[in-house]
Amino acid sequence: VGVGAGWPAWSCASTARNWWEPSSKPAILRVFYIGTNKLRPVLRENADVLAFLEAGFIGTWGEWHDSTNGLMDHTREIVTKILDVLPPDRMLALRDPRLKTDLYGTAPLTPQEAYTGIPKARIGAHDDCFLASITDWGTYTRNIATEKAFYHQDNLFVPQGGETCNFKEDAQPFIGCENALRELAFQRFNSLNSLFQADVLELWTKDGCMPEIRRRLGYRPSGGFLSEARRLGTAGVGYRAQRWLR
């Protein structure tokens, strides 16, 4: 299960801008630390069903933009704290590629860095306006090719989730099945909101690509892993990525 973090009891669907943020930077940072400390035991006790955590907390819809309290100035501090409260073998997803490259550099993860537990190796991505426009409504800058190439390599080792969010005119060139399958593959998606945006999801169903999308998200049991386990004299069920990761 991928989980999105936000301020409890406040609706992320509100069109008001950041009304859920307390009225000063010191106040919201205190709330953030109190809240994340309370999340620690919950996240750790349920680590077995937690795939990754979407960062949330900051800005409009918890999507790390338009913070009224300048919290983007505290990105490193906030990311460090969330990683600290997560189980050490679980990852955090940030809203756009620049949030990761600003912290850890523009070089994507290497096989030598992957799964080592260093912060860079525990940061994935979630695109919450997938295919909404040419930039996915601000997920990418004008350096679209470079930023997508970063995800293409980095996401070999970290999760990529998200959701669609727009069916209007600026999304129409991008939301068709052919482009959706191509983009999901190139960015190596492993999860996608199955409830939103309903018009986009209905289009994929009508045009016939939804079964392919469902099949290639997530993981599937693989008999090859079981054969290898028997050969090595070990037990357990293995899972191989039958999806866009490879």
Side-chain angles (χ1 to χ4, degrees):
V1 177
V3 178
W7 299 115
W10 282 313
S11 171
C12 288
S14 171
T15 56
R17 296 171 64 87
N18 297 24
W19 60 269
W20 57 85
E21 285 191 359
S23 58
S24 70
K25 188 183 296 185
I28 194 170
L29 285 173
R30 285 195 299 272
V31 171
F32 167 75
Y33 272 90
I34 292 170
T36 49
N37 284 332
K38 289 183 177 181
L39 280 174
R40 182 194 299 269
V42 177
L43 294 171
R44 298 194 174 211
E45 288 169 13
N46 295 280
D48 59 329
V49 294
L50 177 66
F52 61 91
L53 180 73
E54 293 183 2
F57 294 112
I58 296 178
T60 305
W61 298 298
E63 289 190 16
W64 289 58
H65 62 81
D66 297 321
S67 170
T68 56
N69 295 295
L71 292 183
M72 298 306 296
D73 297 337
H74 294 264
T75 296
R76 185 178 297 275
E77 177 184 356
I78 291 169
V79 167
T80 299
K81 179 60 179 177
I82 300 175
L83 288 175
D84 177 64
V85 302
L86 274 174
D89 58 351
R90 293 297 182 266
M91 296 184 184
L92 178 68
L94 297 180
R95 177 62 182 84
D96 66 57
R98 297 170 302 287
L99 289 167
K100 181 169 184 176
T101 57
D102 286 350
L103 291 176
Y104 307 113
T106 57
L109 280 166
T110 65
Q112 293 73 30
E113 293 172 316
Y115 311 118
T116 59
I118 62 173
K120 179 180 178 180
R122 295 180 63 199
I123 302 292
H126 68 101
D127 180 352
D128 280 1
C129 271
F130 180 58
L131 305 180
S133 69
I134 192 170
T135 65
D136 289 4
W137 275 5
T139 301
Y140 303 105
T141 65
R142 293 180 180 178
N143 299 318
I144 296 173
T146 299
E147 291 173 344
K148 287 187 176 181
F150 172 83
Y151 273 163
H152 180 71
Q153 176 61 30
D154 206 58
N155 289 346
L156 282 167
F157 310 110
V158 292
Q160 169 71 64
E163 65 184 15
T164 59
C165 77
N166 182 32
F167 193 73
K168 296 178 181 178
E169 183 178 354
D170 47 345
Q172 290 304 310
F174 309 104
I175 56 176
C177 274
E178 182 178 356
N179 187 61
L181 290 170
R182 181 169 53 247
E183 290 295 324
L184 286 163
F186 190 75
Q187 297 172 53
R188 308 185 194 278
F189 267 75
N190 56 21
S191 66
L192 200 67
N193 189 339
S194 63
L195 300 176
F196 192 76
Q197 200 268 347
D199 293 323
V200 177
L201 303 178
E202 183 179 344
L203 174 68
W204 293 348
T205 300
K206 178 174 68 71
D207 288 354
C209 61
M210 183 61 85
E212 172 78 358
I213 291 172
R214 290 185 179 277
R215 184 179 69 83
R216 297 186 69 180
L217 292 172
Y219 292 85
R220 299 292 183 272
S222 171
F225 272 74
L226 297 177
S227 300
E228 183 69 5
R230 293 191 190 100
R231 186 183 71 81
L232 296 173
T234 59
V237 177
Y239 287 83
R240 182 186 300 277
Q242 305 287 359
R243 60 179 181 98
W244 286 298
L245 177 62
R246 294 178 295 174

